[in-house]
Amino acid sequence: MSNLTNTLQKIRYNLKRHVYGITAPLRVLPDFIVVGFGKAGTTTLYHYLSEHPCIMKSSHDHLGFFDSNFELGLNFYKSFFPTKFSKFFLKYTKKCFRTYDVTASYIREPLSAKRILKTLPKIKLIIICRNPVDVAYSYYFNDPSLKGGLSFEEAIKNEIKMVEKEIKNSKNYPRNLLEKSFLARAIYYEQIEIWYELFPKNQLLVIEAEDLAKDHIKTFNKIFDFLDLPRYDIKNFEKQNVSKYPPIKEETRKFLIDYFKPYNEKLYKLINENYDWEN
């Protein structure tokens, strides 16, 4: 892409953003980013984190700047966030301020991690994980491109062959799998590893979706502690973007628990945490 084309594209997108694009230089960058995982509760976090009196959200979730729109420039990204005046006012009235980006697809792209590190080296990052069996099942029902006209059980057999073949033929974990395989998207270790390599552990927080569902107040306060904010009880909490589909067959669940077990154990060792995903 030529410099002129790139410049014209930036202008077009900024105009599309109307006043937000024009005022981008007067806006702030995020203090933290929820980088993944999809189907684990990122939409829920986007909607409820801003209930904290010191937190203001971006204009919408899944901004996709660091993976899909990076060439549009930092002012384009800033156009989605609160103004410097809003930050000043909140810090003056509440003594603290945070704003955030929630984009679940960042976790799948190593380039996103590298771009975030270069652009926002001190950023705090939140990763939310969910039992990989449930994530794979949710992706199967919500993304028609991953079904292939097959039943879930038939699709699993095909995907296992595909994953094993791709891994065997690749020196590193084949990232292209993540765009075409619901099983690969639920293998967390290979996606999280680079974030732990690039960022200090004190800038990373991994939470479990099941914990959020069981005790949202405790889980949100864990997040607020991580962000150096006063604790706050989120009220009227309910899950967002909930999909409905038939329950998974018990024998299929047991099979997938065994399939994901070695990958989960690598994850537990990396994050120094154990989840009850073997049930």
Side-chain angles (χ1 to χ4, degrees):
M1 183 182 291
S2 70
N3 289 336
L4 177 59
T5 303
N6 193 28
T7 300
L8 290 174
Q9 191 174 31
K10 288 180 182 180
I11 292 171
R12 180 169 63 85
Y13 272 90
N14 274 332
L15 288 174
K16 187 177 179 181
R17 293 287 299 147
H18 301 298
V19 68
Y20 300 105
I22 296 169
T23 61
L26 302 175
R27 295 178 179 275
V28 300
L29 287 167
D31 300 284
F32 67 98
I33 303 176
V34 180
V35 296
F37 282 90
K39 308 303 178 188
T42 53
T43 301
T44 296
L45 288 180
Y46 172 76
H47 282 284
Y48 289 105
L49 280 167
S50 62
E51 284 200 15
H52 191 290
C54 294
I55 298 179
M56 295 182 70
K57 61 186 176 184
S58 58
S59 59
H60 59 82
D61 57 346
H62 304 297
L63 300 179
F65 174 70
F66 289 103
D67 54 4
S68 303
N69 299 306
F70 193 69
E71 74 282 357
L72 298 175
L74 210 55
N75 271 350
F76 172 77
Y77 187 46
K78 289 170 72 174
S79 72
F80 295 97
F81 295 100
T83 64
K84 293 178 181 178
F85 174 78
S86 298
K87 177 178 180 178
F88 172 82
F89 180 77
L90 208 59
K91 289 191 78 171
Y92 180 77
T93 56
K94 303 295 182 182
K95 309 303 180 187
C96 52
F97 170 89
R98 304 286 186 276
T99 187
Y100 59 100
D101 173 3
V102 175
T103 302
S105 58
Y106 289 159
I107 198 76
R108 300 203 298 265
E109 179 49 69
L111 186 56
S112 294
K114 294 173 183 177
R115 285 170 169 172
I116 291 172
L117 178 64
K118 186 175 181 179
T119 308
L120 302 165
K122 301 297 184 181
I123 194 78
K124 291 202 170 184
L125 303 166
I126 297 173
I127 301 167
I128 180 166
C129 298
R130 178 186 175 196
N131 190 315
V133 175
D134 299 314
V135 166
Y137 196 52
S138 181
Y139 267 121
Y140 168 82
F141 272 100
N142 285 282
D143 190 338
S145 68
L146 299 177
K147 283 187 177 184
L150 302 173
S151 70
F152 186 55
E153 286 70 27
E154 291 170 331
I156 287 171
K157 292 178 183 178
N158 277 9
E159 291 220 353
I160 287 176
K161 292 178 183 177
M162 177 175 65
V163 170
E164 289 178 348
K165 182 181 178 180
E166 292 273 6
I167 291 176
K168 184 178 180 180
N169 295 335
S170 178
K171 292 182 180 179
N172 299 310
Y173 188 75
R175 295 284 165 181
N176 61 310
L177 271 175
L178 300 174
E179 300 308 318
K180 60 185 180 181
S181 168
F182 56 79
L183 286 185
R185 290 187 189 183
I187 296 173
Y188 298 139
Y189 173 81
E190 278 75 7
Q191 299 175 70
I192 288 181
E193 185 181 22
I194 189 170
W195 299 85
Y196 272 77
E197 290 173 354
L198 294 177
F199 292 90
K201 288 184 179 180
N202 64 356
Q203 287 178 229
L204 290 158
L205 175 68
V206 180
I207 60 173
E208 187 190 17
E210 287 79 5
D211 279 346
L212 182 63
K214 286 185 293 187
D215 191 342
H216 73 271
I217 292 176
K218 181 179 179 180
T219 304
F220 273 113
N221 279 330
K222 185 177 182 180
I223 294 172
F224 300 146
D225 288 347
F226 172 66
L227 298 173
D228 298 317
L229 292 174
R231 292 190 170 193
Y232 181 80
D233 290 350
I234 302 295
K235 301 174 177 64
N236 303 316
F237 175 82
E238 63 180 70
K239 294 180 184 178
Q240 298 286 323
N241 199 25
V242 178
S243 301
K244 293 183 179 180
Y245 35 78
I248 188 172
K249 294 178 181 178
E250 190 59 36
E251 58 269 28
T252 304
R253 173 173 283 278
K254 289 179 180 177
F255 174 83
L256 285 178
I257 286 172
D258 289 337
Y259 175 79
F260 284 118
K261 187 174 182 179
Y263 297 110
N264 291 342
E265 287 175 350
K266 290 172 71 177
L267 172 71
Y268 299 156
K269 186 176 181 180
L270 177 68
I271 66 174
N272 196 29
E273 190 85 46
N274 278 66
Y275 300 133
D276 188 22
W277 288 344
E278 278 64 58
N279 296 305

